[in-house]
Amino acid sequence: MKKENDPNVEDRVECQGSYGTIKYIGEVDGHSGTWLGVEWDDSDRGKHDGSVKNIEYFKARSATSGSFVRPEKIELGQSIISAITTRYGQKDDETEAKHLQQQLLSTQQTMNAPFLQLVGFDKITDKQRKYNELHVINVRMQKINHLGKPREVMELCPNIWELDLSKNLINSWSLILQLCSELKSLKILNVSENILTYPIEDGEERYESVTTLICGSMKLNWEGLLKMTRHFPNLEEFIAPKNNVMNLDIGDSDLQKLKILHIDQNDIGSWSEICKLGHLPDLELLNVESTGIKEIRFPEEGKSKLFRNLKMLYLKENFINDWESVGELNKLENLIDLRLIKNPIFEHNTYDTCAQYIIARIANLMVLDGQIISEERKGAEYDYLRINGIEWLKFKDDDDTRADFLRRFNRYQELVKKYGELEESELKVQSNIIQVSLINVNLVYEDRVISKKLPPTILVQKLIMLTQKLFQLSERPTLIYESALHDNIKIELADECKELGVYSIQNDDRIVVRV
């Protein structure tokens, strides 16, 4: 059995808050005693690349990721048994738990790493000190480097179903797989921020109880990640941000039951790579935020055969800068939840203006950037018709130009059928929803009508206060926008933080006041 105080090459170590891997043990020319050559996870933590005075002791991955330290300066770690009994067996664990929770929250904010789970921080009662009744264990950053005696974990805590092993000193997947073999009820496993080697012999072990695997910041490519997923045939949620993923070939991988996939903050770059995931039959949520995507194109003209069950797509913080890419997402027939904020496409106009354009282009969208879409759809679609109507009139009678127009402005013909062909007087020349001129609006309360010229930038909140004052109402009213030209367009102005212009209100339209 491995001794805790006996270092070996490839052991993971911690030194003054920095983590690394031992690459050399022995003497260093010109210096007495034994030294450990360490390659640090942080490439700027070291002093050299493993060579000193033209002698190569080990080969580091960069010019400043290696250094030599004395054995007594490093921490080699402890067993998982020691970590569990230390954390969950103390008398004042409630205070300790609160401290650890604050520590993890701070780490989440610093790293922008929501994949770090807040687990195991509930009040630790006498009942929880009975280890066999523990279901959720958090031993993050406990310098764990081995399991202890065979079957010891299973005998101490046989009923664990959620385990956070993130950022420890574990150095091999073999240890993780051995742990899985002992924990028969394990469902959720977090091994993030561990640098692990994969066994030379690819074992056939399968652990059917595990449905969620979290592997963030592990310096793994896609091939390496897929190797691990083969051990978990019932995986439904796979979270692997901040790795070295560039291509997404899935081959004969065991991801057929996968419902949720997070591969954000990887340097993927191409939507064509993302499409390689399109045949996963049960995939419902895909997070590809901060992956360098510049444009979105599907191979089909109509509804895509890819991502047939995808409901939620997260594309935040990419480089998408064209409206055709947004229109392509309408080919995903089940897409209802989209996160697109912090893409360059939002730099051309106000967020509300861009949001209206996105809503009009994606027919089934119900949630955009976390905000539920309700009454905005009618106004967004109607304004989409008006904004692009002049160009439509120019091109609609020519087959070639009409096809090009409908490619650039998807859903336009569909919306013409829905709302009818607009008259030329209704069409906008400028492609801005919010205009600078005043709008003549008829405020209607019961049988009273007051006409007011209002700026399109007035907030709904201020308009509510204005109508309450004009009609001398004792209660706060509800406002309903009604189009003067189209009786079927009636929209409740429910969001008090939106500007009036967002709803595409035109001269002589009505706002009905109700209490």
Side-chain angles (χ1 to χ4, degrees), residues 293-306:
I293 296 170
K294 296 180 178 63
E295 67 174 19
I296 297 170
R297 296 292 185 273
F298 286 101
E300 306 95 336
E301 286 298 321
K303 292 295 183 181
S304 178
K305 296 179 181 179
L306 302 174

Side-chain angles (χ1 to χ4, degrees), residues 3-132:
K3 295 180 181 180
E4 295 188 19
N5 296 320
D6 186 16
N8 294 292
V9 172
E10 298 302 329
D11 277 353
R12 298 280 292 161
V13 296
E14 186 267 344
C15 178
Q16 297 178 343
S18 296
Y19 289 73
T21 303
I22 297 176
K23 296 294 184 180
Y24 171 82
I25 301 175
E27 296 181 351
V28 175
D29 187 45
H31 300 273
S32 61
T34 299
W35 292 82
L36 304 180
V38 178
E39 180 171 27
W40 302 103
D41 296 351
D42 181 356
S43 297
D44 297 324
R45 166 66 172 80
K47 298 180 178 179
H48 51 72
D49 62 358
S51 298
V52 177
K53 295 181 180 179
N54 296 321
I55 301 175
E56 182 180 283
Y57 297 92
F58 63 96
K59 192 171 184 63
R61 68 182 183 279
S62 73
T64 57
S65 61
S67 66
F68 290 103
V69 295
R70 291 291 190 183
E72 61 268 19
K73 296 290 186 181
I74 55 96
E75 291 275 357
L76 281 170
Q78 61 178 334
S79 72
I80 188 172
I81 293 296
S82 298
I84 292 172
T85 54
T86 298
R87 173 162 286 190
Y88 291 92
Q90 304 267 334
K91 288 298 181 182
D92 65 343
D93 274 335
E94 183 177 344
T95 301
E96 175 69 6
K98 289 180 179 178
H99 170 73
L100 291 167
Q101 184 178 23
Q102 292 173 350
Q103 183 184 61
L104 183 53
L105 281 169
S106 175
T107 303
Q108 282 182 314
Q109 294 167 357
T110 301
M111 293 183 59
N112 187 27
F115 57 86
L116 302 179
Q117 301 292 298
L118 289 171
V119 296
F121 287 116
D122 294 336
K123 184 185 295 185
I124 299 172
T125 64
D126 289 336
K127 179 181 178 181
Q128 285 178 299
R129 279 193 286 272
K130 298 176 182 178
Y131 298 110
N132 63 351

Side-chain angles (χ1 to χ4, degrees), residues 222-461:
W222 184 241
E223 182 182 5
L225 289 167
L226 287 185
K227 278 186 179 180
M228 278 312 302
T229 63
R230 294 192 181 100
H231 295 282
F232 308 106
N234 294 322
L235 207 60
E236 295 181 0
E237 183 174 9
F238 187 30
I239 304 175
K242 291 188 175 182
N243 277 290
N244 297 330
V245 176
M246 299 181 72
N247 69 77
L248 293 167
D249 297 306
I250 59 174
D252 59 349
S253 65
D254 293 328
L255 296 177
Q256 298 305 302
K257 296 182 180 180
L258 197 67
K259 295 180 179 179
I260 299 171
L261 176 60
H262 293 260
I263 47 173
D264 48 306
Q265 302 176 77
N266 282 288
D267 191 19
I268 298 169
S270 169
W271 180 254
S272 61
E273 287 296 326
I274 305 298
C275 284
K276 293 177 181 179
L277 305 170
H279 296 290
L280 295 175
D282 295 331
L283 191 64
E284 296 180 1
L285 186 156
L286 177 60
N287 183 348
V288 287
E289 296 177 353
S290 301
T291 53
I293 296 170
K294 296 180 178 63
E295 67 174 19
I296 297 170
R297 296 292 185 273
F298 286 101
E300 306 95 336
E301 286 298 321
K303 292 295 183 181
S304 178
K305 296 179 181 179
L306 302 174
F307 301 108
R308 298 300 291 268
N309 288 307
L310 192 69
K311 298 176 182 178
M312 292 165 276
L313 178 61
Y314 299 165
L315 286 163
K316 187 174 74 173
E317 294 182 332
N318 278 292
F319 302 111
I320 298 168
N321 198 27
D322 68 299
W323 286 109
E324 286 184 54
S325 289
V326 176
E328 286 287 297
L329 296 176
N330 191 55
K331 294 179 179 180
L332 299 173
E333 58 185 353
N334 287 308
L335 181 65
I336 59 173
D337 188 340
L338 175 67
R339 295 185 185 178
L340 195 62
I341 198 169
K342 294 186 179 179
N343 275 276
I345 201 166
F346 287 95
E347 297 173 3
H348 305 306
N349 220 314
T350 66
Y351 175 82
D352 283 342
T353 298
C354 295
Q356 295 291 90
Y357 222 52
I358 294 166
I359 292 167
R361 282 180 173 266
I362 306 176
N364 296 325
L365 201 62
M366 299 174 64
V367 180
L368 176 61
D369 293 324
Q371 298 296 314
I372 296 174
I373 299 165
S374 53
E375 71 279 356
E376 291 100 325
R377 177 161 293 282
K378 278 188 179 181
E381 291 176 341
Y382 185 63
D383 203 73
Y384 183 62
L385 289 175
R386 291 192 290 165
I387 288 173
N388 303 300
I390 297 294
E391 194 169 355
W392 168 247
L393 292 178
K394 292 179 183 177
F395 300 137
K396 70 174 184 175
D397 295 325
D398 181 273
D399 289 343
D400 293 333
T401 57
R402 183 176 64 250
D404 180 68
F405 175 88
L406 294 175
R407 178 183 57 79
R408 291 184 292 117
F409 301 102
N410 72 300
R411 294 197 71 219
Y412 197 89
Q413 200 163 31
E414 173 190 337
L415 295 176
V416 167
K417 293 178 181 178
K418 182 176 181 179
Y419 295 103
E421 193 84 55
L422 300 186
E423 297 178 8
E424 191 167 352
S425 61
E426 299 177 70
L427 304 180
K428 289 187 177 182
V429 176
Q430 295 181 347
S431 60
N432 283 331
I433 290 177
I434 300 177
Q435 301 178 12
V436 296
S437 58
L438 295 176
I439 305 169
N440 187 64
V441 178
N442 295 315
L443 304 175
V444 181
Y445 175 65
E446 295 181 344
D447 58 349
R448 297 175 60 192
V449 179
I450 298 177
S451 294
K452 295 289 291 184
K453 290 188 179 294
L454 301 173
T457 54
I458 186 173
L459 294 178
V460 172
Q461 181 185 43

